[in-house]
Structures are given as structure tokens and as C-alpha cells.
Amino acid sequence: MSQRQVLQVFEQYQKARTQFVQTVADLATRPQNTETLQNAGVMSLLRPLLLDAVPTIQQTAALALGRLANYNDDLAEAVVKGDILPQLVYSLAEQNRFYKKAAAFVLRAVAKHSPELAQAVVDCGALDALVVSLEEFDPGVKEAAAWAISYIAKHNAQLSQAVVDAGVVPLLVLCIQEPEIALKRVAASALSDIAKHSPELAQTVVDTGAIAHLAQMILNPDAKLKRQVFSALSQISKHSADVAEMVVEAEIFPAALVCLKDPDEYVRKNVATLIREITKHTPELSQIIVTMGGVAAVIDYLGDSKGNVRLPGIMMLGYVAAHSENLAMAVIVSKGVPQLAICLEEEQEDHLKAATTWAFGQIGRHTPEHARAVAVANVFPKLLNLYLDTESSEDLQVKAKKALKSVLQKCTYLPALEPLLYDAPSNILKHVLCQFSKVLPHDSKARRLFVTSGGLKKVQEIKAEPGSAIQEYINAVNSCYPEEIVRYYSPGYSETLLERIENYQPV
């Protein structure tokens, strides 16, 4: 065989390998092909091509593996079982930037599915290789490495700690200072995934000076970057009052409140989440947000939103109101109660109703004035229905019951209490009667109204156990009226009168 023929054979072999990996990479873009490819043993065929002498074949083989592993955990597990990861990690340090991006993509695709698969990526020494990639000059390599790190860290505190121990955090903080928007996004996302698991991990992020650099980007025009920035700041803020104060001291307010009207839904939600995480800690932090117009801004946000996007805003109002009478009054004055009533009416999901119900409880439980604000919004019947509805989740029933009791115990606005006399079960009814027994002795106008509205008649119809709390409250209500009035409205009194008429002999 001549030299020319030998070269032709090698050329054909190279063309065949190239065509094979390109075809597999293309087929792997369509989910319907993945099972067929796996059954054909494509993993074992791609593995040796990762060490091919031709760089483009290596890169395309890695890309194909990444696409396959990205689809589901079975395919990702096949990559792990095929001993492909050590090969990729080894090559990360040796190959060109195109291969490094493809290799990092495979690591990310495997790690994303579960903590076990992410641990397999860590166990093969990937973190050290990814740290080296974060120090590369090429921003695309840094981005691919940061993405893989984010997917490892997101699962749990143990994996996140492994990422921190590898020395990743300072490099990610450097990445968010790079000019490339895509790299900033992924680095901020990775910091968010690291910080979310524990106060210690959040403190590690804080100690590298991340807050100041994140704060500088809150008004960046790129919506996807803002999403990640606000997510990272909220994951840092949630753990303690100290770190939440550091976020506030970075002077992100009141500028961040502008983003509650951002066209991007996820930016708005992440800002609301950040405000919720800050206000939940202390009255002082809540007061800072209130002073800057945060409550009014969140109430407007609730009016402009629907569904799960509302959840952090609803909870923020509840947290603010829970701290003190004055802060709860700030929510009331800003017209928070009518807006929450709209949310309760419009939302169908039980967890959203439960959060709204809880927020009402935090607003109304302080004083009669606070309770009246909730009462006039006609919320009591809705809360009672949610509590009694067998279709309501257990959490919703518990929260509706708790909110009703806590607000009823402060409520002296009798017109809102009266409808509950007809529908409330005994464990709620006793709180309603208790409030009547407190108010009626001191308010002659209320006593008269209670008779003309039919309230007193309804009280006489209530069947209570002798000696029970309900019976005591009924007795207390009855003692506010002349005996003949009470008798007149008691069940059976009209029959008694008719009998007396029948038995009466005119003189």
C-alpha cells in the first residue's frame, strides 16, 4: 500500500469520526432521540473520542455528552458510570478554551440533577479544575466554570461548603466585576446558590466584599443580571439581622424600590423577596424600609401582580405588621388591608391564601383600631369559610383559625362580628360572644342596634352547655337588657304568648 493510500485511509477515518460526533451532537439536541442513542451504547463510543488527537472531535464529543447528560438523571448517571468524568477533569487542565467550555458544560449537566450526581462530580476532582478555569483569561471559560460551580452548590450546604473550601468565592466576586454581562449573571447566580444554605456560608460570601459589588449592579439595564443580583442579595439577607443590615448599609434603597415596577416579572419578584428577607428580622430594619416608602411600593406591586409573584409581597406586609403596633398601622395607613383582601379574593392557590390570611392576623392582632381595619374589609366571613372548607389545605385551615381568633380577640366593631353569630362553630363563636359581652355594657347605641338587627334573638337561639364559656358570655350579653326583652326574643316566647291569649278570660 502506497503512502498516499495510507494517508487516504487516515483521512477517511478522521472524516468518519468527525461525522459521527457531529451527527450524535445534532441528534442529542432533540429529546426524542436520547433513549435510542443511549440504547445504542453511544456513551461508550463517545468516551475514547474525548482523548482524540483532533481537537474538534474532542470538543464535539464533549458537547454531545453534555447534551445527553442534560436531559435526565439516567443519562447523567450513565456518564458517571462510564468513568467519563475523570477524563473530562484531566482534560480541563490540558486542552484549549473550546474544549474547556465543553467539558465544563458536561460537568454542569451531570451535577444539576441531584445532590448524589453533584457529589460524583466533586469526588472526581472537578472543583480544583473548575477553580483553575475561573482564573482563565477567556470569559467564556470562566462563565462555563462558574455555571458548573453554581449547579454543584445549589443542592445543599455540604456541597456548597466543598465549593467554598476549593477557594471559589473570591474568584466569583472577581467575575462579577468583569465587563461581560453573561459572566456577571452566572457569577451572581453562583454566589446566590452558595449563600442560601446557612448563615456561615452567607458570611463567607459577605467577607469577600460581595455585597458592595452586587449593590452597584441593581440598576443595570440587563434584566437577567438584575434577577441574579437581587436573588443573591436576598439569599445573603435572609440568615440574620447583621447581614441584612450590611445589605441595607450598601445603600441599595430607595433605588431598589424602583425595580418593583420593572417590566421583568422575576426582577420584581426577587426585589420583593429581598425586602421580605430584610424586614422579617427586626422592627428597626422594618422601620427603615417603611421610612423609605417600602410598604406603599410593595402594596402597589401587589396590585400590579398575580399568582406566585405576589407571595413575597404579601409576606413582607405580614412581617412588617408583626413587629409592632406602629408598623402595623403603617401597613393600614398605606391601604394594605384592602389590597390583601383583593389578593384573598383573586388567588386560588391555598399557599397564597394561607400567606394572606397569616398577614391579616399580624395586622389585626394589636389593638381594637387594628382589628377594625381588618373587620371593615369584610374579611371575617372569608376567613371563616376558609377555615370550615374541607377542600382547604391543613395549613390554610390552621392559619385561618389562628388569624380569626387573634383578630377577633381585639375587635370591638360589632357590625362585622354579628354575621359570625350565625355561621361560626363553637370554638370561634366563644370569641365573638366574648367581644359582645365586653362592648355592649358600655354602649347604649350598640345595645339598641343589636336588638333591631336580630343579633339578640340569635344569641337566645344558641345552644350552649351549662357552665361553658359560651353560656357565661350569653349570660353577660343578656344582663345588658331588661329581662322582658330577653324573654321576648327567646325561642318559644311567641307560643307562650299565644297560649296566654287562649287562656285569658276577659273580665
Side-chain angles (χ1 to χ4, degrees), residues 275-293:
I275 299 169
R276 177 191 72 193
E277 299 299 1
I278 290 170
T279 54
K280 76 180 183 184
H281 292 296
T282 64
E284 291 75 21
L285 282 167
S286 276
Q287 187 60 61
I288 290 169
I289 301 298
V290 169
T291 303
M292 290 178 180

Side-chain angles (χ1 to χ4, degrees), residues 4 17 44 83 89 141 167 193 219 252 277 293 425 444 450 488 495:
R4 185 161 172 260
R17 299 197 318 277
S44 57
D83 281 334
V89 171
V141 175
D193 283 327
L219 295 180
I252 61 169
E277 299 299 1
S444 59
F450 193 53
Y488 179 78
E495 285 80 3

Side-chain angles (χ1 to χ4, degrees), residues 115 118-119 122 127 149-169 172 189-198 200-202 204-205 239:
Q119 189 63 56
V122 172
L127 284 176
I149 286 162
S150 181
Y151 274 61
I152 293 168
K154 73 174 186 175
H155 292 292
N156 58 41
Q158 183 184 342
L159 285 162
S160 202
Q161 189 62 54
V163 166
V164 168
D165 293 342
V168 160
V169 176
L172 290 173
S189 174
L191 289 171
S192 178
D193 283 327
I194 292 167
K196 72 182 180 182
H197 298 292
S198 72
E200 294 75 21
L201 287 163
T204 303
V205 173
H239 294 291

